[in-house]
């Protein structure tokens, strides 16, 4: 069974999470500079079967687009151009960074480790992916 991949895109970094082959468990894969994310994904898709890519959709509490929306939308356009046959679903990414930070605290990471923004992005992507896997509205 092919994997599902999730991207937490940002201006500087993109956190990436992926499922196991049975699409049961979401795991953090890595964080890459956003400028190189498409190249990273080309390489990854050449090695692994992926049937769906989830991309975080930043929204404010009132459901309006956040200020980072134009950056993410530009990435989605590039992604669809590079991978026209890959299905893409947008997923709500509200609170994932706060949840990722709390996960790091709960996991006993030191203050210095919790300052690693790349790790926060990777955990955020993992949270979005796990939420998708457990959602009854897939």
């Amino acid at each position: 069974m092919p994997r599902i991949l999730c991207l937490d895109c940002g201006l500087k970094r993109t956190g990436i999470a992926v499922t196991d082959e049975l699409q049961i468990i979401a795991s953090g894969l890595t964080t890459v500079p956003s400028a190189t994310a498409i190249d990273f994904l080309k390489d990854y898709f050449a090695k692994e079967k992926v049937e769906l890519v989830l991309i975080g959709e930043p929204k404010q509490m009132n459901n309006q687009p956040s200020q980072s929306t134009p950056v993410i939308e530009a990435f989605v356009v590039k992604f669809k151009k590079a991978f026209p046959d890959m299905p893409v679903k947008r997923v709500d990414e509200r609170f994932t960074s706060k949840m990722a930070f709390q996960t790091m605290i709960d996991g006993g990471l030191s203050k210095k480790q919790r300052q690693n923004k790349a790790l926060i992005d990777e955990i955020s992507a993992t949270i979005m992916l796990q939420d998708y896997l457990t959602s009854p509205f897939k």
Side-chain angles (χ1 to χ4, degrees):
M1 189 176 223
R3 299 174 189 271
I4 299 173
L5 192 113
C6 184
L7 305 173
D8 180 25
C9 303
L11 186 58
K12 295 180 183 178
R13 293 171 306 279
T14 297
I16 305 173
V18 67
T19 64
D20 61 317
E21 291 175 345
L22 297 175
Q23 298 181 4
I24 296 171
I25 299 168
S27 300
L29 181 63
T30 191
T31 301
V32 298
S34 291
T36 65
I38 297 293
D39 290 334
F40 175 87
L41 293 170
K42 283 179 183 175
D43 187 49
Y44 187 80
F45 293 160
K47 297 175 188 170
E48 297 287 343
K49 284 188 157 198
V50 176
E51 72 175 13
L52 174 66
V53 173
L54 307 175
I55 299 177
E57 188 168 27
K59 293 182 182 179
Q60 296 179 23
M61 286 302 297
N62 63 2
N63 225 21
Q64 294 298 309
S66 79
Q67 64 190 78
S68 61
T69 296
V71 172
I72 311 310
E73 293 300 326
F75 177 83
V76 171
V77 168
K78 274 196 224 175
F79 181 90
K80 287 182 177 180
K81 187 175 181 182
F83 310 105
D85 297 329
M86 180 64 68
V88 172
K89 266 192 184 177
R90 303 299 301 276
V91 293
D92 190 348
E93 66 174 45
R94 282 180 282 195
F95 303 115
T96 56
S97 293
K98 288 183 183 195
M99 291 167 59
F101 190 76
Q102 187 60 50
T103 299
M104 294 168 81
I105 291 171
D106 295 346
L109 272 66
S110 70
K111 185 174 183 179
K112 184 173 175 99
Q113 291 170 312
R114 293 191 307 261
Q115 292 172 343
N116 181 348
K117 293 184 181 185
L119 183 56
I120 291 172
D121 293 337
E122 184 179 325
I123 294 171
S124 294
T126 307
I127 290 168
M128 284 188 282
L129 182 52
Q130 190 63 48
D131 285 349
Y132 175 81
L133 292 174
T134 58
S135 170
F137 304 110
K138 287 191 232 178

